[in-house]
Amino acid sequence: MRRPFALLLCLVALQTGCSDELTWRAVDHLIATDHPNTPSLSTDSLAERLAAPSSARPVLLDARSPEEYAVSHLPGARRVDPSADTYPALDTLAAETPIVVYCSVGSRSAGVVQALQRQGFSRVSNLEGSIFRWANEGRPVVRDGEQVSAVHPYDATWGRLLTDSLRADQASGNVDL
């Protein structure tokens, strides 16, 4: 019964123009309700890991649609199907390989994190706030290897979490989050 309340809280925050901080807290609550005990990683921590020459670079997985990924993605990210239960393409990776999964705000990627854990991966994390938070903080996103300033907004409702200047005008119809 907690999920309907958490979803309602998110939708109210998005529709009424609550502060970004309050809206993101509602989103984080929804994700925690839907995917309890899912390890997460902050955007700051990921940026530090990617910049540190001594640490092993994590594998970045983008759990969005092909259309979303085509607009932009994190540098070096591979797209995975968020509705898959297993990821055979990752079978060549060691179970201890650090993996960070993201989507638009973190819900689809949290499901992928759980699926990867069931597949045996032990160092997999969900990126908090995903690509929306990452891009809103001015961090790089790319298309065809070139840095761009556009992110697919997912849909009109969830896209409100994305800074206006970053919102690509290629949003497709409403899809399940």
Side-chain angles (χ1 to χ4, degrees):
M1 222 38 190
R2 292 182 58 189
R3 199 232 195 266
F5 173 73
L7 181 59
L8 178 63
L9 179 65
C10 274
L11 293 176
V12 166
L14 285 165
Q15 297 294 333
T16 60
C18 289
S19 72
D20 286 348
E21 181 183 341
L22 181 60
T23 303
W24 276 110
R25 282 197 305 203
V27 169
D28 292 343
H29 178 72
L30 174 64
I31 293 166
T33 299
D34 285 352
H35 305 282
N37 305 314
T38 300
S40 62
L41 184 71
S42 72
T43 53
D44 286 339
S45 294
L46 177 59
E48 288 173 13
R49 281 191 191 177
L50 295 176
S54 61
S55 71
R57 181 180 172 91
V59 172
L60 299 176
L61 300 178
D62 186 312
R64 298 177 301 147
S65 71
E67 296 79 17
E68 291 170 284
Y69 181 85
V71 171
S72 66
H73 49 274
L74 274 62
R78 304 183 212 178
R79 198 193 80 75
V80 295
D81 181 355
S83 63
D85 291 327
T86 60
Y87 300 91
L90 303 178
D91 284 349
T92 58
L93 297 178
E96 317 76 46
T97 301
I99 300 172
V100 178
V101 188
Y102 70 90
C103 59
S104 294
V105 298
S107 185
R108 291 177 286 176
S109 52
V112 171
V113 167
Q114 291 179 329
L116 289 170
Q117 289 174 319
R118 288 190 299 274
Q119 194 171 326
F121 290 98
S122 60
R123 295 182 60 202
V124 59
S125 301
N126 189 29
L127 182 61
E128 295 172 359
S130 282
I131 196 170
F132 283 9
R133 190 174 284 162
W134 178 269
N136 286 347
E137 292 170 349
R139 301 182 197 281
V141 295
V142 298
R143 177 185 322 127
D144 299 326
E146 299 293 324
Q147 189 164 339
V148 296
S149 298
V151 175
H152 191 292
Y154 184 72
D155 68 17
T157 300
W158 293 101
R160 292 179 187 198
L161 288 167
L162 190 58
T163 300
D164 290 344
S165 63
L166 295 170
R167 200 174 301 130
D169 57 5
Q170 301 176 16
S172 61
N174 193 3
V175 220
D176 289 336
L177 177 68

Short mmCIF file of all heavy atoms in Angstrom, two decimals, residues 64 68-73 131 135 140-143 147-153 162-170:
data_model
loop_
_atom_site.label_atom_id
_atom_site.label_comp_id
_atom_site.label_asym_id
_atom_site.label_seq_id
_atom_site.Cartn_x
_atom_site.Cartn_y
_atom_site.Cartn_z
N ARG A 64 17.51 2.97 -20.38
CA ARG A 64 16.43 3.73 -21.00
C ARG A 64 16.14 3.13 -22.38
O ARG A 64 16.82 2.24 -22.84
CB ARG A 64 16.83 5.21 -21.13
CG ARG A 64 17.08 5.88 -19.78
CD ARG A 64 17.53 7.32 -19.91
NE ARG A 64 18.77 7.40 -20.68
CZ ARG A 64 19.09 8.41 -21.48
NH1 ARG A 64 18.27 9.45 -21.61
NH2 ARG A 64 20.23 8.41 -22.14
N GLU A 68 15.64 7.32 -26.08
CA GLU A 68 16.23 8.16 -25.04
C GLU A 68 17.75 8.14 -25.13
O GLU A 68 18.40 9.18 -25.05
CB GLU A 68 15.78 7.67 -23.65
CG GLU A 68 14.31 7.89 -23.36
CD GLU A 68 13.90 7.18 -22.09
OE1 GLU A 68 13.74 5.94 -22.11
OE2 GLU A 68 13.73 7.88 -21.07
N TYR A 69 18.31 6.94 -25.28
CA TYR A 69 19.76 6.77 -25.36
C TYR A 69 20.32 7.52 -26.56
O TYR A 69 21.40 8.11 -26.48
CB TYR A 69 20.08 5.28 -25.45
CG TYR A 69 21.55 4.95 -25.52
CD1 TYR A 69 22.31 4.84 -24.37
CD2 TYR A 69 22.18 4.75 -26.75
CE1 TYR A 69 23.67 4.52 -24.44
CE2 TYR A 69 23.53 4.44 -26.82
CZ TYR A 69 24.26 4.33 -25.66
OH TYR A 69 25.60 4.02 -25.73
N ALA A 70 19.59 7.52 -27.69
CA ALA A 70 20.06 8.17 -28.91
C ALA A 70 20.19 9.69 -28.75
O ALA A 70 21.05 10.30 -29.38
CB ALA A 70 19.12 7.86 -30.08
N VAL A 71 19.39 10.30 -27.88
CA VAL A 71 19.48 11.75 -27.66
C VAL A 71 20.77 12.07 -26.92
O VAL A 71 21.50 12.98 -27.31
CB VAL A 71 18.24 12.27 -26.89
CG1 VAL A 71 18.44 13.73 -26.46
CG2 VAL A 71 16.99 12.15 -27.75
N SER A 72 21.07 11.32 -25.87
CA SER A 72 22.32 11.49 -25.13
C SER A 72 22.42 10.42 -24.06
O SER A 72 21.42 9.81 -23.67
CB SER A 72 22.43 12.88 -24.49
OG SER A 72 21.46 13.05 -23.49
N HIS A 73 23.63 10.22 -23.58
CA HIS A 73 23.91 9.26 -22.51
C HIS A 73 25.24 9.64 -21.85
O HIS A 73 25.96 10.50 -22.36
CB HIS A 73 23.95 7.82 -23.05
CG HIS A 73 24.79 7.67 -24.26
ND1 HIS A 73 24.31 7.90 -25.53
CD2 HIS A 73 26.10 7.35 -24.43
CE1 HIS A 73 25.27 7.71 -26.41
NE2 HIS A 73 26.37 7.39 -25.77
N ILE A 131 20.33 10.18 -15.00
CA ILE A 131 20.87 11.14 -15.98
C ILE A 131 20.29 12.54 -15.79
O ILE A 131 20.96 13.53 -16.06
CB ILE A 131 20.68 10.65 -17.44
CG1 ILE A 131 21.59 11.46 -18.39
CG2 ILE A 131 19.21 10.68 -17.85
CD1 ILE A 131 21.66 10.89 -19.82
N ALA A 135 22.94 15.49 -15.48
CA ALA A 135 22.96 16.59 -16.45
C ALA A 135 22.60 17.92 -15.80
O ALA A 135 23.21 18.95 -16.12
CB ALA A 135 22.01 16.29 -17.61
N PRO A 140 28.87 15.92 -18.03
CA PRO A 140 28.79 15.67 -19.47
C PRO A 140 27.85 14.53 -19.87
O PRO A 140 27.79 13.50 -19.21
CB PRO A 140 30.23 15.33 -19.86
CG PRO A 140 30.82 14.78 -18.60
CD PRO A 140 30.16 15.54 -17.47
N VAL A 141 27.15 14.77 -20.97
CA VAL A 141 26.40 13.73 -21.68
C VAL A 141 26.81 13.82 -23.14
O VAL A 141 27.21 14.88 -23.61
CB VAL A 141 24.87 13.88 -21.52
CG1 VAL A 141 24.45 13.67 -20.07
CG2 VAL A 141 24.38 15.23 -22.01
N VAL A 142 26.74 12.69 -23.84
CA VAL A 142 27.24 12.65 -25.21
C VAL A 142 26.23 12.01 -26.17
O VAL A 142 25.35 11.26 -25.75
CB VAL A 142 28.58 11.87 -25.30
CG1 VAL A 142 29.67 12.55 -24.48
CG2 VAL A 142 28.41 10.42 -24.88
N ARG A 143 26.42 12.33 -27.45
CA ARG A 143 25.71 11.67 -28.55
C ARG A 143 26.75 11.43 -29.62
O ARG A 143 27.47 12.36 -30.01
CB ARG A 143 24.59 12.57 -29.08
CG ARG A 143 23.85 11.96 -30.28
CD ARG A 143 22.80 12.88 -30.90
NE ARG A 143 22.07 13.67 -29.95
CZ ARG A 143 21.95 15.01 -30.01
NH1 ARG A 143 22.51 15.71 -30.99
NH2 ARG A 143 21.27 15.67 -29.09
N GLN A 147 30.09 15.71 -26.95
CA GLN A 147 29.33 16.27 -25.84
C GLN A 147 28.18 17.11 -26.37
O GLN A 147 28.34 17.87 -27.33
CB GLN A 147 30.23 17.12 -24.93
CG GLN A 147 29.53 17.52 -23.66
CD GLN A 147 30.48 18.03 -22.60
OE1 GLN A 147 31.67 17.74 -22.63
NE2 GLN A 147 29.95 18.78 -21.65
N VAL A 148 27.00 16.94 -25.77
CA VAL A 148 25.80 17.68 -26.15
C VAL A 148 25.15 18.28 -24.91
O VAL A 148 25.51 17.94 -23.78
CB VAL A 148 24.79 16.79 -26.92
CG1 VAL A 148 25.36 16.31 -28.24
CG2 VAL A 148 24.35 15.61 -26.06
N SER A 149 24.20 19.15 -25.13
CA SER A 149 23.48 19.79 -24.03
C SER A 149 22.00 19.48 -24.11
O SER A 149 21.16 20.35 -23.94
CB SER A 149 23.67 21.31 -24.08
OG SER A 149 25.02 21.63 -23.93
N ALA A 150 21.68 18.23 -24.37
CA ALA A 150 20.28 17.81 -24.47
C ALA A 150 20.11 16.43 -23.85
O ALA A 150 20.98 15.57 -23.99
CB ALA A 150 19.84 17.78 -25.92
N VAL A 151 18.98 16.25 -23.17
CA VAL A 151 18.63 14.97 -22.58
C VAL A 151 17.17 14.71 -22.92
O VAL A 151 16.34 15.62 -22.87
CB VAL A 151 18.82 14.99 -21.04
CG1 VAL A 151 18.35 13.69 -20.40
CG2 VAL A 151 20.28 15.25 -20.68
N HIS A 152 16.86 13.47 -23.27
CA HIS A 152 15.48 13.10 -23.55
C HIS A 152 14.67 13.26 -22.26
O HIS A 152 15.07 12.74 -21.22
CB HIS A 152 15.41 11.66 -24.03
CG HIS A 152 14.10 11.26 -24.60
ND1 HIS A 152 12.96 11.15 -23.85
CD2 HIS A 152 13.76 10.95 -25.87
CE1 HIS A 152 11.96 10.77 -24.63
NE2 HIS A 152 12.43 10.65 -25.87
N PRO A 153 13.55 13.98 -22.28
CA PRO A 153 12.81 14.26 -21.05
C PRO A 153 11.91 13.12 -20.57
O PRO A 153 11.19 13.31 -19.58
CB PRO A 153 11.98 15.48 -21.43
CG PRO A 153 11.75 15.33 -22.88
CD PRO A 153 13.02 14.70 -23.42
N LEU A 162 13.97 17.80 -15.23
CA LEU A 162 15.12 18.15 -16.04
C LEU A 162 15.14 19.65 -16.27
O LEU A 162 14.11 20.25 -16.59
CB LEU A 162 15.03 17.40 -17.37
CG LEU A 162 16.22 17.40 -18.30
CD1 LEU A 162 17.45 16.82 -17.63
CD2 LEU A 162 15.86 16.59 -19.54
N THR A 163 16.30 20.26 -16.11
CA THR A 163 16.45 21.69 -16.37
C THR A 163 15.94 22.01 -17.77
O THR A 163 16.26 21.31 -18.72
CB THR A 163 17.93 22.08 -16.24
OG1 THR A 163 18.37 21.76 -14.92
CG2 THR A 163 18.15 23.56 -16.52
N ASP A 164 15.13 23.08 -17.87
CA ASP A 164 14.50 23.43 -19.15
C ASP A 164 15.48 23.48 -20.31
O ASP A 164 15.19 22.98 -21.40
CB ASP A 164 13.78 24.78 -19.05
CG ASP A 164 12.54 24.72 -18.18
OD1 ASP A 164 12.05 23.60 -17.91
OD2 ASP A 164 12.05 25.79 -17.77
N SER A 165 16.63 24.08 -20.11
CA SER A 165 17.59 24.24 -21.21
C SER A 165 18.17 22.91 -21.69
O SER A 165 18.73 22.84 -22.78
CB SER A 165 18.72 25.18 -20.80
OG SER A 165 19.45 24.61 -19.72
N LEU A 166 18.04 21.84 -20.90
CA LEU A 166 18.57 20.53 -21.28
C LEU A 166 17.53 19.64 -21.94
O LEU A 166 17.87 18.63 -22.54
CB LEU A 166 19.10 19.80 -20.04
CG LEU A 166 20.30 20.42 -19.34
CD1 LEU A 166 20.55 19.71 -18.02
CD2 LEU A 166 21.52 20.35 -20.23
N ARG A 167 16.27 20.01 -21.83
CA ARG A 167 15.17 19.15 -22.28
C ARG A 167 15.11 19.10 -23.80
O ARG A 167 14.79 20.09 -24.46
CB ARG A 167 13.86 19.68 -21.70
CG ARG A 167 12.76 18.67 -21.69
CD ARG A 167 11.50 19.17 -20.99
NE ARG A 167 11.78 19.52 -19.60
CZ ARG A 167 11.41 20.67 -19.04
NH1 ARG A 167 10.77 21.59 -19.73
NH2 ARG A 167 11.70 20.91 -17.79
N ALA A 168 15.41 17.93 -24.36
CA ALA A 168 15.30 17.75 -25.81
C ALA A 168 13.83 17.76 -26.18
O ALA A 168 12.98 17.32 -25.41
CB ALA A 168 15.94 16.42 -26.21
N ASP A 169 13.50 18.25 -27.34
CA ASP A 169 12.10 18.32 -27.74
C ASP A 169 11.65 17.08 -28.50
O ASP A 169 10.69 17.10 -29.25
CB ASP A 169 11.82 19.58 -28.57
CG ASP A 169 12.70 19.66 -29.80
OD1 ASP A 169 13.45 18.71 -30.07
OD2 ASP A 169 12.61 20.68 -30.50
N GLN A 170 12.35 15.97 -28.24
CA GLN A 170 12.04 14.72 -28.93
C GLN A 170 11.30 13.74 -28.04
O GLN A 170 11.35 12.54 -28.25
CB GLN A 170 13.33 14.07 -29.41
CG GLN A 170 14.12 14.93 -30.35
CD GLN A 170 15.43 14.25 -30.69
OE1 GLN A 170 15.63 13.08 -30.49
NE2 GLN A 170 16.35 15.04 -31.24
#
